[in-house]
Amino acid sequence: MINRRIVACSALLAACLLTTACTGEPATKGSAIPEKFPATGDRAEMKANAKALRDYAKTHSLSKATGEAERIQSRDADGGHVLISTNIGAVDEAMTRAQQVADAYRDYAGGAGKPAKAGSVTVYNAFGDPLVTQRLGKK
């Protein structure tokens, strides 16, 4: 029984990694969602953004989900997309953990009655691969 679950979760993870961030559609050329988390950018700012998310999460009982967030890069010029780099490794519950990070970011971006600052968010694993992409306006 456990072996079936492991195989099913592994197959799901492999299928998601082969598609663009589990959207069910392959990446199109010029897509706003990079296939790897970008190596460029202001690392200090990205780390500060991740710390702000973790601090918000601590006060809103979401810290378990956001403890994985390491860097957050906003790509406003590319249509309001946010990229979150995490330290989620190759574990069975990687997709669930990535979804929790995306949900926490949605709450953070639209918290306190403010409109979300971005149209969507993509969560990447420790290897820079996309796991989950989520529109911020949807729950």
Side-chain angles (χ1 to χ4, degrees), residues 24-87:
E25 299 174 14
T28 57
K29 223 171 190 166
S31 173
I33 303 169
E35 291 184 26
K36 290 283 190 180
F37 189 85
T40 60
D42 183 350
R43 290 184 71 77
E45 181 182 345
M46 289 189 286
K47 287 186 175 277
N49 292 341
K51 183 180 180 330
L53 173 62
R54 289 190 305 270
D55 291 346
Y56 171 86
K58 283 180 186 176
T59 62
H60 292 86
S61 302
L62 300 169
S63 59
K64 183 177 179 184
T66 60
E68 309 278 1
E70 291 192 340
R71 294 177 288 158
I72 298 176
Q73 182 180 62
S74 178
R75 298 176 59 90
D76 292 331
D78 292 333
H81 193 76
V82 171
L83 311 175
I84 300 177
S85 174
T86 68
N87 61 5

Side-chain angles (χ1 to χ4, degrees), residues 1-11:
M1 184 71 163
I2 292 175
N3 286 340
R4 279 192 225 157
R5 286 185 185 166
I6 291 171
V7 169
C9 287
S10 297

Side-chain angles (χ1 to χ4, degrees), residues 19 24 31-32 37 39 41 59 82 89-90 100 106 109 113 115 122-123 133 135-136:
T19 62
S31 173
F37 189 85
T59 62
V82 171
Q100 291 171 343
R106 183 189 57 238
T122 298
V123 178
T133 294
R135 296 227 178 269
L136 294 177

